[in-house]
Amino acid sequence: MSYNAPPQAVAEIDDLVVTHELATRPARVPDHAAENRALAALAQDLAQKPDRMPERLEEVLRALCGVEACGVGLPAETDGGFDWHAAGADGVVLLRRPARVFPFLEGAAAPAELLLATCRCEDGGIGVIWVASRGDERRLDAEDARLLRSLAPFAAAAQRLAGSHGHAGQARREMERDFVRRTDELQATQARLADEAAQRLAAERELRESHAILEAAMHTEAVGLAFYALDGSIIDCNSALERMSGYGREELRSAVRWSDLATPEFTDTTLRALAELRSGGRTAPYIKQLARKDGSRWWAMVAPTCLPGEGDERKCIAFVIDITETRRAEVALQASEERFQALMKGLAQATWETDADGAVRTDSPGWRRMTGQSVEESAGLGWVNAVHPDDRHFVMRHWHEAVAQGSPVNAEFRVRQAGGGWRWTNARAAPLRNPDGSIARWIGMNIDVDARRQAEAALRESDGRFRVLAEASPALIFQLDEQGQVSYANRRSLEVVGMRAGTGPADGWGSLLHPDDGPRYIERVRTAIAERAPFQQRVRARAADGGWHWFESHGAPLFGAGNAYRGHVGISIDVTEAVQAEEALRNADRRKDEFLATLAHELRNPLAPISNAVHLLRRPDGRRTADRMVEMVGRQVRQMVRLVDDLMDVSRITQGKLELRREPLSLAEILSMAVETSMPAIEAGRHELTVSLPEETLVLEADKVRLTQVFGNMLNNAAKYTDRGGHIWASAWREDDKVVVSVRDSGIGIPAAKLPHVFEMFSQAHRDSVRGQAGLGIGLTMVRSLVELHGGSVEARSEGPGQGSEFLVRLPLAPVAAPVAHDGLDEGAAPLEGRRVLVVDDNGDAAESLALLLQAAGAEVRTARDGPAGLEAVRQMTPHAVLLDLGMPGMDGFEVARRLRADPGNAALVLVALTGWGQAEDRRRTQASGFDHHLTKPVDVDLLLDILGRIRA
């Protein structure tokens, strides 16, 4: 049995020592043959099975001494109060009733005697080899003591190998045991030689047995043997040493000394060992570095001993074990340990240890510096108090699971900092296991990962913001990988065009594109991906509504950490409305150009006869044709006035500034006025007009002038676009609470493609020179606008070219039919008789011509050329009405009106503004200045006569 634990002394050991009795007791006869066999076997085990050396020693002790209890061990230097260094000159101690000193021997089979032999180890420690007897029938004697001394070197070698194993690992321990066994073999040989000298009768037999042992040792391949003199000269060696050193046997014998094999650094070690051999005959095993013949170096464990002899003539034998690989492993282990420590210093915040149950039992300076916890606060599981409260449950669950399963730990959590605040740390730990696989303890460390966690949080927040913005964006946002596959598509992409993640250009999103645009767009995207460049393309794609939508698509490369390409991020904006608007603008611009050309044409047409009339009137005989010329000029002026009025009306309508003067009106009256207005065009084309009206009176709440303008335009269009001698039908009927007015013709019709556009500004279904004056293309636009202002609708119909056309107007009827009354004058009476009218205008021709017109209607008229003259004329004439031009120099019409209204005597005076400005703002301004009416130039004579005719003379 092995002895390793220090016994507890229970008695004074000096009272139990009876070593002196060995000299008087009868000794057994030595059995040298059995001893030599045992020593040879021990030497062989030393080379081949060094790890079994303690057990083999116990087996040899039981066999040679014939005892049941024996063992080897390494007690403390003063175990049981006994000084082992002073155990005696020969290192043998005999104890009676040893259980009184060593309690581990107590029991029913407690030994009666215990014989111990000490052996000194290289490090100065004391080893022990012992046997015990249990009764008087077997008393220990001097032969037992001799055997213990003979085997003591083997015990020392065993202890040497065991100590080396604690520092260098299992491999080194095995080699040291081999070395110790070989040392024991040498010591056994020494003991055998000593015994042969003392036992002359068995000298020859012992010599043969000793020779056999040496021969066996010489032929071992694992252990080198060197025989050398105390002066260092080598006498002989085995083949194993030749192989280890690289020298041949003859070279070692003739040229190399034992001390020369050591490297210069270990020459002193070799010389010191030789000195110990010379003085004491033995030395503890030691390690040194040697040089091979080729100069390479190798490590060896050497166990030398002196053979029997006298003085410096004695010979020595050394057992040599090559431990180069073990030393390399030790160096590598040391380097690894240094690297590990350097890594820990540079990487770890703290390193720590726990017991097998996961409880902290030792101090961790790094943990104290990091958290500010004391040793006592972090002991056991107290360290968890430094963990963030929100993370403690996770940390403890993870830690307990790892401890229970013996699995490594890798967890991240927040830890309180000594200076305040919290930081993220990565805790890693692994178990260290005993030889039987059980956990001995845990080794762990903490790594600061706060910067990474903060970066990850910022990245997650940024990614979250991007996704929220992408999902909320009305645009199509997507990401493509290196193959053009969709790796991300926002909700809008799926809803609008059905783009999904995982689809590619060939069979996925590429199939959504318009056939005319898809190949070009796909090629552009692939080129951008290959070149890591941005792209921009306008493309059509099939939308969820089934139509083709235009998209403005942009993409840019996305680069990640280390400038690694991660694909392209793209955005596509639906620009369908913008494209349509662009097309509409182009069409509008085209129609505007056509309109301007038409306007120039339409204005030149009346200007030509007017110019001709002026030239004719200037001729000497011009008076003969004056009446005809005046009538012709009047017609052309009225034509120009209608053009300008139409333009002004359209402008006011499109700007929402046209005001309707609603009054109860009979539909029959409005249509009669429209027919009267259009009859010249109908008669010119020799068309047949058929008017069909219902018998009931249909009353509208409408503006008479504007509705007359609507139906007049429709009749004029029918006359214009119907071939000569055609037919025009004007009819009306009631539909519920609406009236429907139809104007149908047998004319040239309207192409189906033009029907949706006939009411657009400047649009004309037919524009050719064959039909003469085609108009400005604003008539139907004005018709639709005026009808809609009245709360109605207009519709165009045609079966196609040559099939005629029909325009339908639907208008709401007045809620209650009211009688329509009109004040009339006798046809032969002067409408303005008895009215005094003052005309104030800086344009003399305009003032005089208007005065003549009013005088012809029976009014008394006077003119003034400026504002002050007008004020003076009012005082002198006391007119019923004043017609004021607004744009006079000096005192304008606004100022004249304000001064007139400031005089209470002019309260009944009717002020009429005459101006070329007819916008709503202009009308508001004249009303604020005191005017009663606002007429635009050229003046509508009928309207002016109506206004003046309502003034009572």
PDB file of all heavy atoms in Angstrom, residues 682 687-691 714-720 722 726-730 743-746:
ATOM      1  N   ILE A 682     -76.943  79.105 -90.256  1.00  0.00           N
ATOM      2  CA  ILE A 682     -77.776  78.023 -90.789  1.00  0.00           C
ATOM      3  C   ILE A 682     -78.238  78.365 -92.204  1.00  0.00           C
ATOM      4  O   ILE A 682     -78.208  77.526 -93.115  1.00  0.00           O
ATOM      5  CB  ILE A 682     -78.989  77.794 -89.858  1.00  0.00           C
ATOM      6  CG1 ILE A 682     -78.501  77.281 -88.491  1.00  0.00           C
ATOM      7  CG2 ILE A 682     -79.971  76.807 -90.466  1.00  0.00           C
ATOM      8  CD1 ILE A 682     -79.597  77.193 -87.448  1.00  0.00           C
ATOM      9  N   HIS A 687     -79.178  74.978 -94.648  1.00  0.00           N
ATOM     10  CA  HIS A 687     -79.596  73.807 -93.884  1.00  0.00           C
ATOM     11  C   HIS A 687     -81.060  73.926 -93.535  1.00  0.00           C
ATOM     12  O   HIS A 687     -81.619  75.020 -93.433  1.00  0.00           O
ATOM     13  CB  HIS A 687     -78.771  73.674 -92.590  1.00  0.00           C
ATOM     14  CG  HIS A 687     -77.293  73.594 -92.822  1.00  0.00           C
ATOM     15  ND1 HIS A 687     -76.732  72.725 -93.718  1.00  0.00           N
ATOM     16  CD2 HIS A 687     -76.250  74.299 -92.262  1.00  0.00           C
ATOM     17  CE1 HIS A 687     -75.415  72.868 -93.698  1.00  0.00           C
ATOM     18  NE2 HIS A 687     -75.106  73.849 -92.820  1.00  0.00           N
ATOM     19  N   GLU A 688     -81.670  72.781 -93.288  1.00  0.00           N
ATOM     20  CA  GLU A 688     -83.040  72.736 -92.811  1.00  0.00           C
ATOM     21  C   GLU A 688     -83.017  72.541 -91.317  1.00  0.00           C
ATOM     22  O   GLU A 688     -82.430  71.574 -90.818  1.00  0.00           O
ATOM     23  CB  GLU A 688     -83.800  71.598 -93.484  1.00  0.00           C
ATOM     24  CG  GLU A 688     -85.239  71.508 -93.031  1.00  0.00           C
ATOM     25  CD  GLU A 688     -85.974  70.344 -93.670  1.00  0.00           C
ATOM     26  OE1 GLU A 688     -85.416  69.734 -94.639  1.00  0.00           O
ATOM     27  OE2 GLU A 688     -87.065  70.000 -93.213  1.00  0.00           O
ATOM     28  N   LEU A 689     -83.650  73.456 -90.556  1.00  0.00           N
ATOM     29  CA  LEU A 689     -83.681  73.403 -89.095  1.00  0.00           C
ATOM     30  C   LEU A 689     -85.069  72.970 -88.638  1.00  0.00           C
ATOM     31  O   LEU A 689     -86.084  73.558 -89.047  1.00  0.00           O
ATOM     32  CB  LEU A 689     -83.342  74.772 -88.501  1.00  0.00           C
ATOM     33  CG  LEU A 689     -83.473  74.876 -86.980  1.00  0.00           C
ATOM     34  CD1 LEU A 689     -82.478  73.950 -86.289  1.00  0.00           C
ATOM     35  CD2 LEU A 689     -83.266  76.328 -86.539  1.00  0.00           C
ATOM     36  N   THR A 690     -85.118  71.969 -87.795  1.00  0.00           N
ATOM     37  CA  THR A 690     -86.357  71.497 -87.211  1.00  0.00           C
ATOM     38  C   THR A 690     -86.277  71.655 -85.708  1.00  0.00           C
ATOM     39  O   THR A 690     -85.363  71.118 -85.069  1.00  0.00           O
ATOM     40  CB  THR A 690     -86.611  70.020 -87.556  1.00  0.00           C
ATOM     41  OG1 THR A 690     -86.668  69.887 -88.975  1.00  0.00           O
ATOM     42  CG2 THR A 690     -87.910  69.530 -86.939  1.00  0.00           C
ATOM     43  N   VAL A 691     -87.217  72.420 -85.146  1.00  0.00           N
ATOM     44  CA  VAL A 691     -87.229  72.660 -83.704  1.00  0.00           C
ATOM     45  C   VAL A 691     -88.442  71.945 -83.117  1.00  0.00           C
ATOM     46  O   VAL A 691     -89.573  72.142 -83.587  1.00  0.00           O
ATOM     47  CB  VAL A 691     -87.281  74.158 -83.383  1.00  0.00           C
ATOM     48  CG1 VAL A 691     -87.332  74.366 -81.869  1.00  0.00           C
ATOM     49  CG2 VAL A 691     -86.094  74.877 -83.993  1.00  0.00           C
ATOM     50  N   MET A 714     -73.822  75.433 -79.951  1.00  0.00           N
ATOM     51  CA  MET A 714     -74.148  74.092 -80.425  1.00  0.00           C
ATOM     52  C   MET A 714     -74.775  74.146 -81.822  1.00  0.00           C
ATOM     53  O   MET A 714     -74.427  73.345 -82.708  1.00  0.00           O
ATOM     54  CB  MET A 714     -75.107  73.412 -79.445  1.00  0.00           C
ATOM     55  CG  MET A 714     -74.450  73.110 -78.082  1.00  0.00           C
ATOM     56  SD  MET A 714     -75.619  72.641 -76.784  1.00  0.00           S
ATOM     57  CE  MET A 714     -76.325  71.159 -77.475  1.00  0.00           C
ATOM     58  N   LEU A 715     -75.693  75.123 -82.051  1.00  0.00           N
ATOM     59  CA  LEU A 715     -76.312  75.261 -83.366  1.00  0.00           C
ATOM     60  C   LEU A 715     -75.295  75.715 -84.413  1.00  0.00           C
ATOM     61  O   LEU A 715     -75.300  75.238 -85.560  1.00  0.00           O
ATOM     62  CB  LEU A 715     -77.477  76.241 -83.298  1.00  0.00           C
ATOM     63  CG  LEU A 715     -78.715  75.736 -82.528  1.00  0.00           C
ATOM     64  CD1 LEU A 715     -79.681  76.877 -82.282  1.00  0.00           C
ATOM     65  CD2 LEU A 715     -79.382  74.606 -83.306  1.00  0.00           C
ATOM     66  N   ASN A 716     -74.407  76.634 -84.034  1.00  0.00           N
ATOM     67  CA  ASN A 716     -73.365  77.083 -84.967  1.00  0.00           C
ATOM     68  C   ASN A 716     -72.450  75.929 -85.362  1.00  0.00           C
ATOM     69  O   ASN A 716     -72.046  75.807 -86.525  1.00  0.00           O
ATOM     70  CB  ASN A 716     -72.551  78.208 -84.346  1.00  0.00           C
ATOM     71  CG  ASN A 716     -73.284  79.531 -84.357  1.00  0.00           C
ATOM     72  OD1 ASN A 716     -74.159  79.766 -85.193  1.00  0.00           O
ATOM     73  ND2 ASN A 716     -72.942  80.416 -83.412  1.00  0.00           N
ATOM     74  N   ASN A 717     -72.039  75.067 -84.368  1.00  0.00           N
ATOM     75  CA  ASN A 717     -71.202  73.914 -84.687  1.00  0.00           C
ATOM     76  C   ASN A 717     -71.920  72.971 -85.645  1.00  0.00           C
ATOM     77  O   ASN A 717     -71.325  72.432 -86.580  1.00  0.00           O
ATOM     78  CB  ASN A 717     -70.840  73.160 -83.406  1.00  0.00           C
ATOM     79  CG  ASN A 717     -69.582  73.717 -82.766  1.00  0.00           C
ATOM     80  OD1 ASN A 717     -68.948  74.619 -83.306  1.00  0.00           O
ATOM     81  ND2 ASN A 717     -69.229  73.201 -81.602  1.00  0.00           N
ATOM     82  N   ALA A 718     -73.227  72.757 -85.400  1.00  0.00           N
ATOM     83  CA  ALA A 718     -73.977  71.867 -86.288  1.00  0.00           C
ATOM     84  C   ALA A 718     -74.002  72.418 -87.706  1.00  0.00           C
ATOM     85  O   ALA A 718     -73.852  71.682 -88.695  1.00  0.00           O
ATOM     86  CB  ALA A 718     -75.394  71.685 -85.759  1.00  0.00           C
ATOM     87  N   ALA A 719     -74.209  73.743 -87.828  1.00  0.00           N
ATOM     88  CA  ALA A 719     -74.225  74.339 -89.149  1.00  0.00           C
ATOM     89  C   ALA A 719     -72.858  74.285 -89.813  1.00  0.00           C
ATOM     90  O   ALA A 719     -72.733  74.073 -91.031  1.00  0.00           O
ATOM     91  CB  ALA A 719     -74.716  75.797 -89.044  1.00  0.00           C
ATOM     92  N   LYS A 720     -71.801  74.480 -89.012  1.00  0.00           N
ATOM     93  CA  LYS A 720     -70.439  74.535 -89.553  1.00  0.00           C
ATOM     94  C   LYS A 720     -69.981  73.183 -90.070  1.00  0.00           C
ATOM     95  O   LYS A 720     -69.320  73.086 -91.108  1.00  0.00           O
ATOM     96  CB  LYS A 720     -69.494  75.052 -88.475  1.00  0.00           C
ATOM     97  CG  LYS A 720     -68.076  75.277 -88.958  1.00  0.00           C
ATOM     98  CD  LYS A 720     -67.178  75.698 -87.798  1.00  0.00           C
ATOM     99  CE  LYS A 720     -67.678  76.968 -87.135  1.00  0.00           C
ATOM    100  NZ  LYS A 720     -66.786  77.403 -86.039  1.00  0.00           N
ATOM    101  N   THR A 722     -71.834  70.535 -91.012  1.00  0.00           N
ATOM    102  CA  THR A 722     -72.798  69.796 -91.819  1.00  0.00           C
ATOM    103  C   THR A 722     -72.667  70.282 -93.263  1.00  0.00           C
ATOM    104  O   THR A 722     -72.594  71.505 -93.528  1.00  0.00           O
ATOM    105  CB  THR A 722     -74.228  70.034 -91.317  1.00  0.00           C
ATOM    106  OG1 THR A 722     -74.331  69.575 -89.972  1.00  0.00           O
ATOM    107  CG2 THR A 722     -75.239  69.273 -92.178  1.00  0.00           C
ATOM    108  N   GLY A 726     -77.765  70.387 -95.476  1.00  0.00           N
ATOM    109  CA  GLY A 726     -77.999  69.346 -94.476  1.00  0.00           C
ATOM    110  C   GLY A 726     -79.211  69.616 -93.613  1.00  0.00           C
ATOM    111  O   GLY A 726     -79.963  70.569 -93.837  1.00  0.00           O
ATOM    112  N   HIS A 727     -79.358  68.776 -92.575  1.00  0.00           N
ATOM    113  CA  HIS A 727     -80.520  68.861 -91.701  1.00  0.00           C
ATOM    114  C   HIS A 727     -80.033  68.991 -90.258  1.00  0.00           C
ATOM    115  O   HIS A 727     -79.140  68.262 -89.832  1.00  0.00           O
ATOM    116  CB  HIS A 727     -81.397  67.622 -91.852  1.00  0.00           C
ATOM    117  CG  HIS A 727     -82.802  67.852 -91.423  1.00  0.00           C
ATOM    118  ND1 HIS A 727     -83.871  67.222 -92.031  1.00  0.00           N
ATOM    119  CD2 HIS A 727     -83.351  68.665 -90.461  1.00  0.00           C
ATOM    120  CE1 HIS A 727     -85.000  67.619 -91.450  1.00  0.00           C
ATOM    121  NE2 HIS A 727     -84.694  68.493 -90.504  1.00  0.00           N
ATOM    122  N   ILE A 728     -80.675  69.899 -89.507  1.00  0.00           N
ATOM    123  CA  ILE A 728     -80.349  70.124 -88.096  1.00  0.00           C
ATOM    124  C   ILE A 728     -81.633  70.006 -87.304  1.00  0.00           C
ATOM    125  O   ILE A 728     -82.666  70.593 -87.675  1.00  0.00           O
ATOM    126  CB  ILE A 728     -79.688  71.503 -87.888  1.00  0.00           C
ATOM    127  CG1 ILE A 728     -78.397  71.622 -88.694  1.00  0.00           C
ATOM    128  CG2 ILE A 728     -79.432  71.731 -86.400  1.00  0.00           C
ATOM    129  CD1 ILE A 728     -77.781  72.998 -88.665  1.00  0.00           C
ATOM    130  N   TRP A 729     -81.585  69.222 -86.210  1.00  0.00           N
ATOM    131  CA  TRP A 729     -82.758  69.044 -85.358  1.00  0.00           C
ATOM    132  C   TRP A 729     -82.450  69.610 -83.959  1.00  0.00           C
ATOM    133  O   TRP A 729     -81.434  69.274 -83.357  1.00  0.00           O
ATOM    134  CB  TRP A 729     -83.100  67.564 -85.198  1.00  0.00           C
ATOM    135  CG  TRP A 729     -83.536  66.903 -86.458  1.00  0.00           C
ATOM    136  CD1 TRP A 729     -84.787  66.781 -86.932  1.00  0.00           C
ATOM    137  CD2 TRP A 729     -82.678  66.244 -87.390  1.00  0.00           C
ATOM    138  NE1 TRP A 729     -84.824  66.086 -88.118  1.00  0.00           N
ATOM    139  CE2 TRP A 729     -83.512  65.749 -88.425  1.00  0.00           C
ATOM    140  CE3 TRP A 729     -81.285  66.045 -87.500  1.00  0.00           C
ATOM    141  CZ2 TRP A 729     -83.007  65.071 -89.519  1.00  0.00           C
ATOM    142  CZ3 TRP A 729     -80.806  65.362 -88.586  1.00  0.00           C
ATOM    143  CH2 TRP A 729     -81.647  64.877 -89.591  1.00  0.00           C
ATOM    144  N   ALA A 730     -83.271  70.481 -83.458  1.00  0.00           N
ATOM    145  CA  ALA A 730     -83.180  71.003 -82.091  1.00  0.00           C
ATOM    146  C   ALA A 730     -84.445  70.591 -81.364  1.00  0.00           C
ATOM    147  O   ALA A 730     -85.550  70.966 -81.783  1.00  0.00           O
ATOM    148  CB  ALA A 730     -83.025  72.514 -82.098  1.00  0.00           C
ATOM    149  N   VAL A 743     -79.223  68.768 -79.784  1.00  0.00           N
ATOM    150  CA  VAL A 743     -78.927  69.394 -81.075  1.00  0.00           C
ATOM    151  C   VAL A 743     -78.253  68.331 -81.924  1.00  0.00           C
ATOM    152  O   VAL A 743     -77.137  67.890 -81.610  1.00  0.00           O
ATOM    153  CB  VAL A 743     -78.040  70.637 -80.917  1.00  0.00           C
ATOM    154  CG1 VAL A 743     -77.677  71.190 -82.296  1.00  0.00           C
ATOM    155  CG2 VAL A 743     -78.732  71.706 -80.095  1.00  0.00           C
ATOM    156  N   ARG A 744     -78.955  67.866 -82.965  1.00  0.00           N
ATOM    157  CA  ARG A 744     -78.476  66.763 -83.796  1.00  0.00           C
ATOM    158  C   ARG A 744     -78.367  67.247 -85.232  1.00  0.00           C
ATOM    159  O   ARG A 744     -79.144  68.108 -85.679  1.00  0.00           O
ATOM    160  CB  ARG A 744     -79.428  65.587 -83.679  1.00  0.00           C
ATOM    161  CG  ARG A 744     -79.016  64.349 -84.424  1.00  0.00           C
ATOM    162  CD  ARG A 744     -79.851  63.143 -83.960  1.00  0.00           C
ATOM    163  NE  ARG A 744     -81.261  63.395 -84.094  1.00  0.00           N
ATOM    164  CZ  ARG A 744     -81.984  63.109 -85.190  1.00  0.00           C
ATOM    165  NH1 ARG A 744     -81.374  62.582 -86.253  1.00  0.00           N
ATOM    166  NH2 ARG A 744     -83.288  63.350 -85.236  1.00  0.00           N
ATOM    167  N   ASP A 745     -77.387  66.711 -85.969  1.00  0.00           N
ATOM    168  CA  ASP A 745     -77.194  67.126 -87.354  1.00  0.00           C
ATOM    169  C   ASP A 745     -76.904  65.913 -88.217  1.00  0.00           C
ATOM    170  O   ASP A 745     -76.624  64.818 -87.718  1.00  0.00           O
ATOM    171  CB  ASP A 745     -76.076  68.160 -87.464  1.00  0.00           C
ATOM    172  CG  ASP A 745     -74.731  67.638 -87.000  1.00  0.00           C
ATOM    173  OD1 ASP A 745     -74.224  66.669 -87.594  1.00  0.00           O
ATOM    174  OD2 ASP A 745     -74.182  68.193 -86.004  1.00  0.00           O
ATOM    175  N   SER A 746     -76.944  66.144 -89.507  1.00  0.00           N
ATOM    176  CA  SER A 746     -76.600  65.090 -90.480  1.00  0.00           C
ATOM    177  C   SER A 746     -75.226  65.328 -91.060  1.00  0.00           C
ATOM    178  O   SER A 746     -74.961  64.985 -92.210  1.00  0.00           O
ATOM    179  CB  SER A 746     -77.648  65.083 -91.604  1.00  0.00           C
ATOM    180  OG  SER A 746     -77.655  66.336 -92.284  1.00  0.00           O
TER     181      SER A 746
END
